Structure formats: structure tokens, C-alpha cells
Amino acid sequence: GHARSKVLVSADWNKDAFTIEIHDDGPGFSLDILSRLGEPYLGGRARGTAKKGGLGLGFFIAKTLLERTGAAIVFDNRPWEDQPSRGGAWVAVSWPKSEIAAPAT
């Protein structure tokens, strides 16, 4: 899916982690692939379906590279706070403070 008209990118940190979230107002991830996002070759052609495009290799590479930096990635669909009837794709990438903090001197 893709955004209809807006994408929200936010960053937050606390004593435990640094997190970046991306949320769009599009149709969201289809439920049949949501649990498999990040696997290689999840595209329509690779699965023998007639769907256009895919979320295969690009998502797999991004997820793999982020995880190598110590990040945890979560994919989901979430409603917008100001428009609960409209949802969209939501991705959160979180690094534990231990992975990103400079050593104390």
C-alpha cells in the first residue's frame, strides 16, 4: 500500500531506546502478507499471484540491515488518532540504548 495524502514520521527516545515510526494514511498492509513482511521474495511474481508489485527484496534488505545495527522492526496497520475510521501502514524501528549510546568516558 501507499499513502493517500499524508505520511507521519516521528522519533522518540527514553532511557531505554530510540524509536522511529512511520505511519501513512493509505490502505495499510494486506493481512495475508503482514506476518511475512521482511521475508525475501514476497512479491506477487515470486508467489505466483496476479498482484502488481511486491514487498519482497527491498523490505528484506532494509530489515536485515537495520537488524544488523541492533534494531527491532515492527510492521502493523494502525488507525489515525484524529481519524479512527482511517488506518494505514505503520512501521516502527527501535534501537536499544546500549546499541547507540557512546561509551562513558
Side-chain angles (χ1 to χ4, degrees), residues 73-92:
I73 300 103
V74 178
F75 305 100
D76 203 353
N77 293 320
R78 295 258 172 113
W80 282 80
E81 287 184 22
D82 62 342
Q83 296 175 324
S85 64
R86 289 184 75 180
W90 174 82
V91 177

Side-chain angles (χ1 to χ4, degrees), residues 16-31:
D16 300 317
F18 172 70
T19 303
I20 297 174
E21 296 182 10
I22 302 118
H23 189 189
D24 73 26
D25 67 344
F29 298 115
S30 67
L31 296 179

